[in-house]
């Protein structure tokens, strides 16, 4: 997966990494094309687990800096909103910051707090993308194993 992870890190885009992710998952992990052709594009679109984790941590960090005590309802709102936002996030660089504004507004935290993390967001975005595409490949392996297709040649 190293090739796909390097591309993901350098581009911060799950969509741009998709062709290399196909190649690595099919050639190196031996997942059949019939699985990767469904799982990887779907994952690049809706599986932004790294982004959801980042948005949750960032929202709590900004709330703490501003001195807000988050009650359980606000914490659950962060979890729900970050999860839903990560599903709807486009697989392009920098869009996580836009989604973070939505999360902060949902828990009534000033959106100006994003300035606290904006300086390191690009590097974190690069790391999140690596997590996201690795997760996509992992799901492809799990699906292939559950279908008994792992390592089999799809041509018969």
């Amino acid at each position: 997966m190293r090739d796909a992870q390097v591309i993901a890190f350098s581009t911060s885009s799950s969509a741009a990494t998709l062709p290399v992710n196909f190649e690595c998952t099919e050639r190196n992990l031996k997942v059949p094309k019939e699985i990767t052709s469904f799982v990887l594009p779907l994952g690049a679109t809706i599986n932004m687990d790294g982004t959801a984790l980042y948005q949750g941590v960032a929202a709590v960090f900004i709330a703490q800096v501003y001195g807000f005590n988050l009650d359980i309802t606000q914490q659950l709102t962060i979890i729900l909103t970050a999860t839903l936002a990560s599903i709807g996030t486009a697989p392009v660089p920098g869009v996580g910051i836009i989604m973070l504004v939505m999360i902060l507004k949902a828990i009534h935290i000033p959106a100006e707090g994003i300035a606290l993390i904006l300086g390191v967001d690009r590097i974190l975005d690069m790391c999140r993308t690596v997590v996201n595409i690795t997760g996509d490949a992992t799901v492809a392996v799990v699906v292939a194993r559950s279908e008994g297709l792992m390592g089999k040649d799809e041509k018969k």
Side-chain angles (χ1 to χ4, degrees):
M1 289 301 298
R2 182 178 36 240
D3 292 344
Q5 291 170 334
V6 167
I7 297 294
F9 187 79
S10 62
T11 64
S12 295
S13 172
S14 298
T17 308
L18 199 52
V20 181
N21 203 3
F22 273 121
E23 184 180 333
C24 289
T25 306
E26 290 170 10
R27 184 186 53 197
N28 301 339
L29 301 178
K30 309 292 187 226
V31 176
K33 187 174 181 121
E34 63 192 48
I35 301 293
T36 60
S37 63
F38 177 75
V39 173
L40 295 182
L42 185 64
T45 306
I46 66 171
N47 179 30
M48 303 290 183
D49 45 1
T51 302
L53 290 168
Y54 167 74
Q55 290 172 342
V57 169
V60 170
F61 171 74
I62 293 168
Q64 288 177 343
V65 168
Y66 276 103
F68 288 99
N69 290 322
L70 299 174
D71 61 25
I72 190 70
T73 305
Q74 290 173 309
Q75 292 174 29
L76 291 173
T77 301
I78 290 171
I79 293 169
L80 180 65
T81 310
T83 303
L84 293 175
S86 72
I87 292 170
T89 300
V92 295
V95 78
I97 284 291
I98 296 166
M99 294 301 179
L100 184 57
V101 171
M102 182 178 68
I103 294 168
L104 293 176
K105 291 291 184 184
I107 58 171
H108 311 294
I109 303 289
E112 294 81 19
I114 288 178
L116 296 168
I117 60 170
L118 206 51
V120 296
D121 182 63
R122 176 63 178 168
I123 293 170
L124 296 175
D125 194 12
M126 295 161 82
C127 295
R128 289 192 309 263
T129 305
V130 171
V131 170
N132 292 339
I133 66 105
T134 304
D136 297 343
T138 303
V139 170
V141 168
V142 169
V143 169
R145 279 200 177 145
S146 71
E147 295 295 317
L149 299 173
M150 203 52 203
K152 293 183 180 178
D153 190 8
E154 75 177 284
K155 297 174 190 169
K156 295 185 181 185

